[in-house]
Amino acid sequence: DKYIEEKKPWALIDEKEQKEIFSNLLYVLKNIAEMISPFLPETGEKMLFGLNEKNGIYNPKKGESLFPRIQND
Protein backbone atom coordinates (compact mmCIF):
# COMPACT_ATOMS: atom_id res chain seq x y z
CA ASP A 1 0.00 0.00 0.00
CA LYS A 2 2.81 2.40 0.88
CA TYR A 3 4.64 1.63 -2.38
CA ILE A 4 1.50 2.30 -4.41
CA GLU A 5 0.75 5.55 -2.57
CA GLU A 6 4.32 6.79 -2.96
CA LYS A 7 4.61 5.93 -6.66
CA LYS A 8 1.04 6.88 -7.70
CA PRO A 9 1.23 5.00 -11.02
CA TRP A 10 -2.17 6.34 -12.12
CA ALA A 11 -0.76 9.88 -12.06
CA LEU A 12 2.44 9.20 -14.02
CA ILE A 13 2.92 10.50 -17.51
CA ASP A 14 6.05 8.42 -18.21
CA GLU A 15 4.66 5.19 -19.63
CA LYS A 16 7.93 3.29 -19.10
CA GLU A 17 7.96 4.12 -15.38
CA GLN A 18 4.26 3.25 -15.09
CA LYS A 19 4.83 -0.15 -16.72
CA GLU A 20 7.76 -0.84 -14.38
CA ILE A 21 5.64 -0.09 -11.28
CA PHE A 22 2.75 -2.26 -12.43
CA SER A 23 5.17 -5.03 -13.37
CA ASN A 24 6.66 -4.90 -9.86
CA LEU A 25 3.19 -5.08 -8.31
CA LEU A 26 2.18 -8.06 -10.45
CA TYR A 27 5.42 -9.85 -9.56
CA VAL A 28 4.74 -9.29 -5.85
CA LEU A 29 1.18 -10.59 -6.21
CA LYS A 30 2.49 -13.73 -7.94
CA ASN A 31 4.92 -14.33 -5.08
CA ILE A 32 2.17 -13.83 -2.50
CA ALA A 33 -0.06 -16.29 -4.37
CA GLU A 34 2.71 -18.89 -4.39
CA MET A 35 3.48 -18.37 -0.69
CA ILE A 36 -0.12 -18.70 0.48
CA SER A 37 -0.92 -21.70 -1.74
CA PRO A 38 0.11 -24.32 0.87
CA PHE A 39 -2.29 -22.76 3.40
CA LEU A 40 -5.03 -21.40 1.13
CA PRO A 41 -4.73 -23.46 -2.07
CA GLU A 42 -7.94 -22.25 -3.69
CA THR A 43 -7.09 -18.61 -3.03
CA GLY A 44 -3.57 -19.01 -4.40
CA GLU A 45 -4.95 -20.74 -7.48
CA LYS A 46 -7.51 -17.97 -8.06
CA MET A 47 -4.78 -15.35 -7.75
CA LEU A 48 -2.47 -17.11 -10.20
CA PHE A 49 -5.36 -17.65 -12.61
CA GLY A 50 -6.20 -13.94 -12.44
CA LEU A 51 -2.60 -12.86 -13.00
CA ASN A 52 -2.53 -14.99 -16.15
CA GLU A 53 1.28 -15.07 -16.33
CA LYS A 54 2.99 -16.85 -19.20
CA ASN A 55 6.77 -16.76 -19.61
CA GLY A 56 7.12 -13.70 -17.39
CA ILE A 57 4.44 -11.72 -19.21
CA TYR A 58 1.33 -10.85 -17.24
CA ASN A 59 -2.08 -10.44 -18.81
CA PRO A 60 -4.29 -9.88 -15.75
CA LYS A 61 -7.95 -10.65 -16.02
CA LYS A 62 -10.88 -9.98 -13.76
CA GLY A 63 -11.93 -13.01 -11.79
CA GLU A 64 -14.21 -13.87 -8.96
CA SER A 65 -13.64 -12.48 -5.48
CA LEU A 66 -10.98 -14.23 -3.45
CA PHE A 67 -13.13 -14.24 -0.33
CA PRO A 68 -16.91 -13.95 0.16
CA ARG A 69 -18.23 -10.58 1.23
CA ILE A 70 -19.35 -10.41 4.85
CA GLN A 71 -22.85 -8.98 5.18
CA ASN A 72 -23.60 -6.77 8.17
CA ASP A 73 -27.33 -6.99 8.80
Side-chain angles (χ1 to χ4, degrees):
D1 191 42
K2 183 179 177 183
Y3 177 78
I4 297 169
E5 285 299 317
E6 286 177 358
K7 298 294 184 179
K8 295 182 178 19
W10 57 87
L12 292 175
I13 295 173
D14 183 1
E15 191 174 308
K16 182 180 177 187
E17 187 178 359
Q18 192 178 50
K19 283 183 180 182
E20 181 180 335
I21 292 167
F22 283 121
S23 178
N24 290 340
L25 293 171
L26 290 167
Y27 179 77
V28 168
L29 286 172
K30 180 184 177 200
N31 284 319
I32 291 170
E34 290 172 346
M35 287 188 283
I36 67 168
S37 287
F39 309 101
L40 298 167
E42 290 179 15
T43 301
E45 187 177 317
K46 286 179 190 178
M47 289 176 69
L48 290 171
F49 179 78
L51 290 171
N52 195 25
E53 183 259 342
K54 299 220 186 337
N55 300 318
I57 298 173
Y58 297 91
N59 188 17
K61 53 186 169 183
K62 186 174 174 89
E64 60 183 276
S65 296
L66 296 176
F67 304 102
R69 184 175 296 268
I70 297 174
Q71 299 294 328
N72 293 329
D73 295 329

